[in-house]
Amino acid sequence: MIFIAILLILVFMCLPLKFKIILTILNMIIPDRIPVLDELITICGTLGHILRALKVAEFSEEHPIIFKFLVLITIAAVIYAVVTFINSI
């Protein structure tokens, strides 16, 4: 049971912000056996996602050239990884 809870928390942390907000609201509405702990985890995860998004937005405004360069490197790395994966099949 603990393994499933940890797995669900990890999946939750990887979700996009919209889904995190929806699941946080549902988690607060649906009753469960652990009344406070899971709400705290989902709220902290959602707030952490929002804070990271704000930091990225702030960085992109302060350093637009570096931000664009990092985005291009990330896109190139993803394309390289996909091509390498496809060629290995």
Side-chain angles (χ1 to χ4, degrees):
M1 188 67 171
I2 293 175
F3 177 73
I4 294 173
I6 292 172
L7 184 65
L8 289 175
I9 290 170
L10 291 175
V11 169
F12 175 79
M13 293 300 175
C14 296
L15 290 175
L17 182 59
K18 292 177 186 179
F19 293 120
K20 282 185 179 181
I21 292 172
I22 291 169
L23 287 176
T24 300
I25 292 170
L26 287 175
N27 190 22
M28 292 177 156
I29 295 171
I30 298 172
D32 53 10
R33 289 191 259 167
I34 306 171
V36 178
L37 184 61
D38 58 334
E39 279 82 3
L40 286 175
I41 291 171
T42 57
I43 289 171
C44 289
T46 304
L47 288 176
H49 194 122
I50 292 170
L51 291 175
R52 280 191 307 275
L54 291 174
K55 286 180 182 178
V56 169
E58 181 181 321
F59 180 81
S60 68
E61 290 174 0
E62 290 178 6
H63 310 286
I65 295 172
I66 296 173
F67 181 75
K68 290 175 185 175
F69 180 71
L70 291 173
V71 168
L72 287 175
I73 288 176
T74 303
I75 291 170
V78 169
I79 291 171
Y80 176 76
V82 169
V83 168
T84 304
F85 176 74
I86 291 173
N87 288 337
S88 69
I89 295 179

